[in-house]
Each structure stands twice: as structure tokens, then as C-alpha cells.
Amino acid sequence: MSTFKPAADEVAALGHTRIALGVEYKGSRYSGWQRQASGVPSVQLALERALSKVAASPISVVCAGRTDAGVHACGQVVHFDTQAVRPDKAWVMGTNAELPHDISVTWMRQMPADFHARFKATARRYRYVIYNDPIRPAHLGEEVTWNHRPLDVARMAKAAEPLLGTHDFSAFRASQCQAKSPVKQLHHLRVTQHGQMIVIDVRANAFLHHMVRNLAGVLMAIGSGDKPVEWARQVLEGRDRKTGGVTAHPYGLYLVQVEYPAPFELPGRYLGPHFLTGFERLMG
């Protein structure tokens, strides 16, 4: 399958249309977002195959943020260029008809040539969902992280406070992270409880590889009482990943929103995951 992507100033000249899509998926069956040379199942590969059938020509997509194996998305954004002319409905309903049950296109929008799903994004938002109960859940086993030890949400929320703002997040960065800089700006980091569910809701200008899962691991260690509240700040200031504890499981992690400048006018959609939508009024 072709991976050719014309530059923005070439799109119109080549007679291409740039299209953006909203995509949601359950990541449990996939090796992650990114298409791999080995051909193992990935979200990108499944989406490109479905779109190529609708377009009757090869389609290659660019996403806002690559997710790891087992990680889910409710608000992934992608773009692609095509010469195919199809009704708007075809790019949504037609593509969904070709997709497996655990991937869905939620909206489409024809975009100007200078739109880029990754590089034009101004912020990204993730939610990490923990099921906190002594008994392992029979449902949502691959969609939440189960923690059997009682977690103190107030301690977790207090520990999160020093992490807000612009910092060097090297201690929360995976060793294989390819980001040019470990400095990121955390706009909010909220910990809330809804029955047996604890939700870590985090928004930033960008994220490092495994950053949210490492944040979740630190906060859960504090919530369980294994570490003091001050430990989150100490890990941050130490800038050493080896001091940052265990990387939390991918199951409970969701990319829920990608933000862009207002002139692009991308469609809005409720924040997920679906089983948490009843808490939207409380979570904001």
C-alpha cells in the first residue's frame, strides 16, 4: 500500500482533497495504532484497508497521536488526501461497513490543504480509568485497569498538584521515547471517583511516550499508601525514570480529545469512554 503524502502546498495542485475523520477504537486486539512492516494487526492498517475500499484506491492516513498496544481511543483524529469523490456519508457509513466491530469512524470533514492531524493539534486529552474493588471485574476487563487495593482519591489528587504547569517530565518518559524535548505543559490533571471507578483526566499540549501510564502508576502507588504524597513531586524533580515506579497497564487508557485552532471548525463530540458519559456533568 502506498505511503505517499503530498505536502500541503501540493495537495490542490495534484487534484487531491484533504479529509479529516474522527475515529474511536478498542485497542485490545491490536499491536497499537501504527501500521507495521510485519503486517500484524494495527488500527491504522484496518482503517486504511477500509478507506481504500471506499475510495477504490490506496489511502494512507496520518493520526493526531499514536497509541500503544491495548490503548483505546474515543477522540482520535486522522487526515488523508484522496482524488476520490464520495458523498460525506460514504466516508463514515461506508468505511464503518468495511471496518471490524471494534473500530468506528464517528465524523468526517473536508479540510483546507494546510490542516495536519498531528502538527496542527494544540492539545490532547487522555483519561485513565481504574476499577477499584477487591473483586476482579467480569465485565470491561480489557477496558479498565483493575486495582484490588483501596485507593485514596484525595491523596492522589493532592499528589497531582505539583505536576501541573510546564516541567521536564523525563521521569515519566519511556526509554524508547523519540520526542525531541521532555518539557511539556500539563493544563490539568484531575482525579475523581464515581462509584468503583476512579478516573485520572489529563490534558496537555503534548505527551511523551508512556507519560500518562507512568503518571497513573505513580498516583496509584500514592493512593494505595505505598508512597507519600510528596513522592510525585520528588519523582518529577529527580528527572530519572528509574525512580518513577511501575508503568501502569494500558487497558484503562483512552485518548478522548484532540484540540485544534477554532478556524478549522472540527465537529465536537462528547468525551468518552462510553460507559463514563453519565458522569460528564460532574467531570467537565
Side-chain angles (χ1 to χ4, degrees):
M1 184 175 292
S2 171
T3 58
F4 169 69
K5 293 297 295 179
D9 58 355
E10 297 175 311
V11 171
L14 290 170
H16 288 76
T17 299
R18 180 155 292 184
I19 292 175
L21 301 176
V23 185
E24 62 182 29
Y25 49 86
K26 178 180 176 181
S28 308
R29 294 196 307 122
Y30 301 98
S31 62
W33 162 266
Q34 190 170 12
R35 177 184 359 97
Q36 300 181 31
S38 61
V40 297
S42 70
V43 180
Q44 182 180 12
L45 180 61
L47 181 60
E48 288 177 342
R49 284 176 172 173
L51 286 167
S52 296
K53 289 183 179 180
V54 174
S57 61
I59 295 292
S60 178
V61 302
V62 176
C63 74
R66 292 178 294 182
T67 51
D68 290 335
V71 175
H72 318 295
C74 312
Q76 179 70 273
V77 177
V78 309
H79 83 257
F80 62 94
D81 298 325
T82 181
Q83 291 180 310
V85 178
R86 301 287 185 270
D88 291 359
K89 186 177 181 179
W91 291 118
V92 178
M93 305 307 292
T95 303
N96 283 340
E98 302 290 344
L99 283 168
H101 68 279
D102 46 10
I103 306 175
S104 295
V105 174
T106 57
W107 54 261
M108 72 79 63
R109 180 66 55 86
Q110 184 171 326
M111 302 302 295
D114 65 337
F115 175 81
H116 194 285
R118 178 184 175 190
F119 296 125
K120 291 295 184 179
T122 57
R124 294 165 178 83
R125 185 171 179 176
Y126 285 85
R127 284 176 172 172
Y128 192 86
V129 185
I130 304 159
Y131 181 79
N132 193 210
D133 191 88
I135 305 301
R136 171 177 53 84
H139 305 287
L140 300 177
E142 296 178 324
E143 296 168 74
V144 297
T145 286
W146 172 50
N147 194 315
H148 69 281
R149 302 175 64 184
L151 297 178
D152 187 323
V153 173
R155 282 172 56 88
M156 295 169 69
K158 184 69 175 177
E161 293 176 3
L163 305 178
L164 292 173
T166 302
H167 303 286
D168 181 333
F169 283 95
S170 292
F172 297 92
R173 176 183 191 170
S175 60
Q176 63 269 39
C177 181
Q178 298 178 358
K180 294 181 180 179
S181 171
V183 177
K184 303 299 174 187
Q185 183 182 18
L186 239 60
H187 302 304
H188 76 236
L189 177 53
R190 302 168 184 160
V191 185
T192 55
Q193 185 164 12
H194 312 279
Q196 303 307 107
M197 299 288 189
I198 297 173
V199 181
I200 301 172
D201 189 315
V202 55
R203 175 177 174 268
N205 64 331
F207 289 89
L208 302 168
H209 191 198
H210 285 176
M211 181 172 165
V212 179
R213 290 169 59 187
N214 289 331
L215 287 167
V218 165
L219 293 179
M220 282 191 284
I222 293 170
S224 69
D226 284 347
K227 297 289 185 178
V229 170
E230 310 83 58
W231 186 55
R233 177 183 54 78
Q234 293 166 357
V235 170
L236 176 70
E237 294 176 352
R239 301 181 183 180
D240 183 356
R241 174 64 204 126
K242 295 178 181 178
T243 68
V246 177
T247 300
H249 291 298
Y251 314 126
L253 182 57
Y254 294 79
L255 172 61
V256 298
Q257 187 179 40
V258 184
E259 298 177 32
Y260 295 91
F264 286 126
E265 297 183 335
L266 292 184
R269 185 169 165 83
Y270 61 83
L271 299 177
H274 295 303
F275 56 84
L276 289 179
T277 55
F279 301 130
E280 282 304 298
R281 182 177 61 83
L282 298 174
M283 298 176 68

